[in-house]
Structures are given as structure tokens and as C-alpha cells.
Amino acid sequence: MKRAIYIVIVFFAMICMALPLSAQKHSNLVIGSDKLVLFIDMRSSKTEVDTLLKKAGLKGANAAAILKGDFTALQKDGWTMAKKQGNIVEFDSPLENLNKNPQIKPYLITTKIDNDDEGSPGYPADVNFGINKFAKVTVHELASGLTRFFLPGYLQNRRALLSGNFNNWSTLKGVMAKTDSGWIADVKLKPGKYEYKFIVDGHWINDRYNNLVADHDDNSIYFRYNYTFKLNGNANAHKIILTGSFNNWDANSIIMEKSGGVWQKQMYLHDGTQAYRFLVDGKWIIDPANPNKIQGDDGLMNSILNLGETVIFKLDGYTDAKKVYVGGSFNNWERGLIPLTKAKTGWVLSLIIPPGNYGYKFVVDDKWITDPANPRNMVEGGIVNSFISVKPNYTFKLSGFNNAKSVHLAGSFNNFDKFGYSMAFNGSEWTVSVRLKPGKQLYKFIVDDKWIIDPGNKLYEPNQYNSGNSVLWIE
């Protein structure tokens, strides 16, 4: 079992009342009205301290040095050693030096990371769609592609910052500029869901004009849009409602707005295949501008929208085949729904697929085959399939092992499957690119059926087999 180790960061705003000691756990929380308190158990392993320092936002702090009693990096980061009692070393830091969002509650960081967590403060989980709800619009998209956050008023204050999951809840970045009516900060954002707050002279406040608030705390929520639904005509309609698979066919929540003779609605829409239709004054219609449609379970026709990355599937040869399809985990392995087009040298298809890791095969005249041009495979249900990663965000590399017959990647992202994802050799190293969720990932390589940790990654942690797992953090 891992030895107990934790770093506890406690924050209380200056206007908050001190919490009673009886409300804390053991002796590991120290109450402070204007400072942060950090405890390190010197009996901990290097891996555990490394992991916790990273999660606590202490950049440049080396666990090995700390466990030897060298606290230089912590001191440079603004931490002061308050005292040492037994194996526990206590550090203090002024509130303004905090590199993580303290919120209004004690913030506990441990080595126990749940990869199936729906989301944690500052790192919201994926959502199918999102629509902003402002009493007064304080976040604007600029023509330059930047997003401008505006904090009205507070002109008597000396400093204002913008902090959110887009800058890792930093209190050092996001400095806002004062204008004649408030404070502004411009941020470059990709489409998606974001949580944020303002820090005014050291006090955390949410956006009082934003009616979208996170359930787990009072962070303000902003969606950067990526799609606009439009419906032409219907000039005499009184009310048009948009409904679809993304909002569980709720016929009351998304009301279209009329602008210049066109009914439309902007929103953030997650990548994937989305079915939808319009309710025009109580009558269901599909999108007349969208030729893609399919019959729903209720017997009504739905329009189909595909958002994601364009993937080219190509199968050389088989020119005598009558029909060729592609099927995979991206379409529940339906064998006759996605046909390839015949070309001079074989078959080809452009397909939009959401980011992710998928297995796939071609169906040539009713016979399933793996992709002969793709050296990367995976096993699903005991069957070997070709492997593809759409919009991968990390490439695993293993140098050496030039004489190995096969190398596979297994980790927490594929349940440590003994086959894993097969890696390809490019003459100097074995590689495979995958799409990983943010957070902590554990992994190992399987070289000719032998499990090894990554020799190029110094970060690892013990496992139940006493062989260790390599550790990777995805931001």
C-alpha cells in the first residue's frame, strides 16, 4: 500500500470567519485568514511528492531535493517554512502568491485521482451543448479571434485579474486593464465550456451579470460558440423551437431568434453526430437546407449534423470488389452504412469523426478485413482491428528495441489491455499517437510480450505487481 501523503492547501478570504479546529481532519489543516498553509510528510516517496507538487501548481520544485531537506525551490516560489514537527514540514505563502484557485473552501489535493470523475473545479467535463445566459453581456468574441472578458465598475480598486480553467486558475496571469468603465482582459479560447472568476484586490468574485453558475461552486460559466443553427423562411411563424439529441429532445429549452428574416440560434455544440429538428408553431419539420436525414425512433424524420475532424479512409486494390464499406467503434460497427467510393487505384472515403480513439475495419463484399496500410492495431472483444486516433494530443515514443518483433502500449486509457495499441517502428523508435483525457494517465510498454515502464520517463509509481507504472499528466 502507498504510504499516506498529502498536501493540504487551506484558503479563507479575509472576510470569512475562522473555521473551528473541530471541523478539520486530524492536525493537518491550519487556519489562516490571509495565507496558505502547506504540509509535506518527509516519509513520502519521490513519486508521490512529485505528483502532488505538480497538482499543487508548484513549478520548479523538485521532490528529490525536498525530501533531502533542500527547500530552495519552494522559497523561490514564495513559500516560507513555518515550522517542522516530526516528519511534517509546514510552509506558508501569502494569498496573493497562490498559483491555484482557492475558491471559498479548504482545497485538498491527494494522490487518489479518479479518471472517471465527471469534472473537478476549474476543469469542467465535456458537455453536449451550451448556451450563454447573461443579464448583461460581459464576454464578447472579437473579430481578431480573441475573447474579451469585461468586469464593469470597481474603478476605485487598484488591481483586477481574470482567472479560470483556461489559465490553470492562475493568480499571476490574467492581469486586466482598467478602462473608463471597468476592467478588460483578452484571452484566446477554443470552442467549449469554461469556468472563470475575477480577482479584485485579492478578493475572488464571480461575474454578477452571468446567470450560468457551476453546481460544484459559484464559478461563472462561459461557452465559446462553434455553430449556428439557421432556418430560412417561416416569416409568419410565432415561435420556433430547436430540439435534438444534444438536449435529449427537450422541446422547451432552445427557442430560436429571428434576425433579418432568418430564424437562428448560436451555441456550443460538441463534436459528433447530432440529430435535430425544428418545432414551428407546434409542427415538426426537418432542416430544409440539410440533405442529411434519418428516421428517428418515434417515426419522425430528423436532420443529421456531423461535427469533428475529416478522416480519409483509403483502401488500395480490390478494384474487382462490388462494394466496400468501413465500420468501426465510431458507428457501432454497422457494416453497411458508410460506403467508400471506387477510385482508379482502389477505394476512398472522407468521413467526419469526433476526436477519440477508434478501432475499424473495411467490409469488402461482406468480408471484414483490417487496413493493410495501417500498421497499428487494437483488440476489441477478442478481435484484432485497425487502430486510428482522431485529433490525437499525445505521441508515445520508445527508443531502441530495434530488434523487437512487436511493441504495444497499454494504460489506464485502455484498461491495461494486454494487447493494447500496437506501435509502429520508423527506423529509430516505436511510436503511436492517441487521444487522452486531461489528468493523470498510467501506462507501460509491452515489448515482445514483456511489460516494461517507459525508460524515457523518470516519473513512475508503484503498482500491485511491484513492477511500477509510468505516469503521464495531460493538461
Side-chain angles (χ1 to χ4, degrees):
M1 272 183 80
K2 296 180 179 178
R3 289 173 294 177
I5 163 105
Y6 47 84
I7 295 176
V8 181
I9 299 177
V10 186
F11 158 78
F12 288 93
M14 296 185 68
I15 62 172
C16 292
M17 297 179 62
L19 294 179
L21 285 173
S22 59
Q24 309 306 324
K25 296 180 180 179
H26 308 298
S27 61
N28 299 314
L29 297 179
V30 175
I31 298 174
S33 61
D34 59 353
K35 64 183 178 181
L36 307 173
V37 183
L38 182 151
F39 296 93
I40 296 180
D41 189 334
M42 300 298 287
R43 297 167 297 182
S44 304
S45 69
K46 175 182 175 296
T47 300
E48 290 170 325
V49 176
D50 262 331
T51 301
L52 292 173
L53 291 177
K54 181 177 180 65
K55 294 301 290 181
L58 291 167
K59 298 181 180 179
N62 181 273
I66 289 174
L67 291 174
K68 291 180 180 180
D70 182 358
F71 306 125
T72 304
L74 287 172
Q75 293 166 350
K76 288 183 178 180
D77 199 58
W79 294 88
T80 302
M81 187 170 71
K83 62 181 178 180
K84 181 178 180 181
Q85 185 172 1
N87 294 304
I88 307 298
V89 184
E90 175 188 331
F91 295 89
D92 295 343
S93 178
L95 180 59
E96 58 266 22
N97 292 341
L98 182 61
N99 290 326
K100 285 282 185 179
N101 179 19
Q103 300 299 298
I104 55 175
K105 304 174 183 177
Y107 188 79
L108 176 66
I109 298 176
T110 74
T111 55
K112 183 178 180 181
I113 304 296
D114 186 355
N115 289 326
D116 295 325
D117 191 7
E118 286 292 320
S120 57
Y123 297 91
D126 286 338
V127 292
N128 287 330
F129 81 106
I131 299 174
N132 295 311
K133 296 180 182 179
F134 287 98
K136 174 182 178 181
V137 179
T138 53
V139 185
H140 303 267
E141 296 300 326
L142 305 179
S144 63
L146 297 176
T147 302
R148 172 163 293 177
F149 289 80
F150 176 51
L151 173 62
Y154 295 92
L155 298 178
Q156 75 280 8
N157 293 92
R158 292 178 291 107
R159 192 183 188 201
L161 296 95
L162 170 68
S163 185
N165 62 314
F166 41 77
N167 65 4
N168 203 27
W169 293 102
S170 173
T171 62
L172 304 178
K173 303 176 183 178
V175 177
M176 304 185 77
K178 182 184 281 190
T179 69
D180 58 355
S181 56
W183 303 77
I184 61 172
D186 296 338
V187 183
K188 187 175 183 180
L189 300 178
K190 296 179 180 179
K193 176 185 177 182
Y194 297 92
E195 296 186 11
Y196 68 97
K197 275 184 177 178
F198 302 111
I199 311 172
V200 181
D201 288 347
H203 297 282
W204 292 77
I205 63 172
N206 60 10
D207 188 341
R208 66 181 184 272
Y209 294 107
N210 189 341
N211 294 326
L212 281 183
V213 179
D215 292 335
H216 49 73
D217 50 33
D218 60 346
N219 290 339
S220 299
I221 296 175
Y222 175 70
F223 291 99
R224 192 183 194 283
Y225 294 157
N226 63 341
Y227 195 79
T228 302
F229 285 93
K230 294 182 179 180
L231 179 62
N232 292 307
N234 299 281
N236 297 322
H238 298 287
K239 187 177 183 179
I240 298 181
I241 298 174
L242 168 67
T243 181
S245 55
F246 45 84
N247 73 335
N248 295 318
W249 300 100
D250 185 345
N252 297 298
S253 61
I254 306 177
I255 301 176
M256 304 280 285
E257 301 160 356
K258 193 174 183 180
S259 176
V262 178
W263 295 86
Q264 57 185 5
K265 191 65 178 180
Q266 282 188 300
M267 67 172 62
Y268 164 71
L269 196 60
H270 195 280
D271 286 346
T273 299
Q274 307 286 1
Y276 70 98
R277 57 181 180 242
F278 302 107
L279 184 61
V280 181
D281 289 339
K283 181 181 178 181
W284 290 109
I285 68 169
I286 58 175
D287 188 347
N290 184 355
N292 299 317
K293 56 187 178 180
I294 192 172
Q295 187 174 15
D297 294 337
D298 56 3
L300 298 176
M301 295 301 296
N302 298 318
S303 296
I304 295 295
L305 178 67
N306 291 305
L307 295 178
E309 295 291 306
T310 300
V311 178
I312 306 297
F313 288 96
K314 187 177 180 181
L315 178 63
D316 290 330
Y318 297 92
T319 53
D320 294 332
K322 296 180 180 180
K323 293 181 180 180
V324 175
Y325 296 88
V326 66
S329 51
F330 47 80
N331 76 332
N332 295 319
W333 292 99
E334 293 288 347
R335 62 186 298 158
L337 291 182
I338 308 177
L340 277 72
T341 301
K342 194 171 186 178
K344 291 183 179 179
T345 59
W347 301 79
V348 67
L349 167 71
S350 295
L351 186 65
I352 297 176
I353 302 177
N357 303 313
Y358 304 98
Y360 73 96
K361 276 184 173 179
F362 294 115
V363 186
V364 181
D365 290 340
D366 295 326
K367 181 181 179 181
W368 291 91
I369 65 169
T370 55
D371 186 345
N374 186 355
R376 296 179 175 88
N377 299 315
M378 65 183 296
V379 170
E380 296 174 279
I383 299 175
V384 177
N385 301 312
S386 296
F387 169 77
I388 186 173
S389 182
V390 180
K391 204 172 181 179
N393 56 359
Y394 191 81
T395 298
F396 288 89
K397 300 178 181 179
L398 178 63
S399 298
F401 298 94
N402 295 10
N403 297 322
K405 296 181 180 179
S406 66
V407 177
H408 299 260
L409 168 70
S412 52
F413 40 82
N414 61 6
N415 297 317
F416 278 97
D417 185 276
K418 63 180 181 180
F419 185 91
Y421 302 148
S422 62
M423 303 177 70
F425 187 64
N426 61 13
S428 61
E429 59 186 4
W430 298 83
T431 67
V432 63
S433 297
V434 298
R435 178 78 178 180
L436 299 176
K437 293 181 179 180
K440 180 183 178 182
Q441 301 288 351
L442 305 176
Y443 69 98
K444 295 183 89 166
F445 297 119
I446 310 171
V447 181
D448 291 340
D449 297 325
K450 181 180 179 180
W451 293 73
I452 66 169
I453 60 175
D454 186 350
N457 182 1
K458 295 181 179 180
L459 186 61
Y460 72 96
E461 67 179 34
N463 60 13
Q464 65 268 38
Y465 305 108
N466 296 318
S467 59
N469 294 318
S470 294
V471 178
L472 174 69
W473 288 97
I474 300 296
E475 300 294 337

